[in-house]
Amino acid sequence: MTVNLRLLGLLATSLVLASAAPVAAQDAATATAPAPSAILGDLTLWAPDGRDIPVFVFPAAEERAVVVFSHGLGGDPRAYREIIGRWAQAGFTVVAPLHVDSQRHPGGGRAGGAVAFMTRIADLAVVRDHVRAEHAGKPMAAAGHSFGSLLSLMAGGAVTAVGPQSDPDIRAVVALSSPGAIQGLVQPETYGGLTVPMLMVTGDADVVETYAPDWRAHRIPFDTAPPGDRMLVIFEGGGHGLVAEGTEAQRAFLAEVSLDFLKAHVLGDPEAKARLAALSAPAGVQIERR
């Protein structure tokens, strides 16, 4: 992968601004992750430059498909164990790298800016290759939280300032809060290239001052992607850590919707697709479709 120095400088400036927000504000779920002394990954893969990539695997007993998951800035895949566990119980093995910006990474999360972004691109490409080799024939989806959702959307066809990074094997994307409009990286046409079904989840309290001071910034992928198989779920009072810190009812509804979305668009399950089409929003939730 080749990126010119001027672009790297622009990305570094933009992403440093994004990463300046406290990690707790960006990925509140991180607080529930295990201590650094816990086992670092279920397997180790290697980036093209020889860098170790710790990877956590949440296996499905009866595997039907695989979800490649990217955690939020500074986060840890284990912080999302509740929703990931629900996916795994339903037949979706989840494979999730620990990115270098994670506070649980051996580097202590000190990598930020363009380094965090570019290494994430490499991490996820390696993980997807691993899935193709070790889970051959199984359909694949991409999912992520916050910063991780941007990488997942890129795998589904979104094009940022670094150019196309899509993977033709990705059948759908679940984005648990978008990263907003990161200056110099997310462009007006970025989500025009999204080619696969997308579920976007946010809340009207999903605010991060440095890059999403208005929660509506998280709508950008939904509002600007080409119409067709787009679903937006907005939780009243839902903050940036909703996936782990929402109410029990919010988390249960999120698990239900995301599972039916994966079943419908990754497995081609007609019953799940019918449930999604007929789904009405409970109190405190808005659902939009395009």
Side-chain angles (χ1 to χ4, degrees), residues 153-222:
L153 289 160
M154 289 164 60
V159 181
T160 66
V162 302
Q165 303 291 331
S166 64
D167 188 315
D169 287 331
I170 294 298
R171 296 193 180 183
V173 174
V174 175
L176 304 171
S177 185
S178 80
I182 300 178
Q183 184 180 6
L185 182 61
V186 175
Q187 303 167 315
E189 65 275 15
T190 284
Y191 298 108
L194 191 66
T195 57
V196 300
M198 175 194 68
L199 169 64
M200 171 59 65
V201 179
T202 187
D204 61 12
D206 189 352
V207 173
V208 181
E209 291 185 5
T210 51
Y211 65 96
D214 185 329
W215 73 268
R216 295 171 185 82
H218 301 296
R219 295 183 54 108
I220 293 173
F222 176 80

Side-chain angles (χ1 to χ4, degrees), residues 4 17-18 24 41 57 134 143 168 181 210 228 238 281 284:
N4 65 47
L17 289 175
V57 180
E134 298 299 323
T210 51

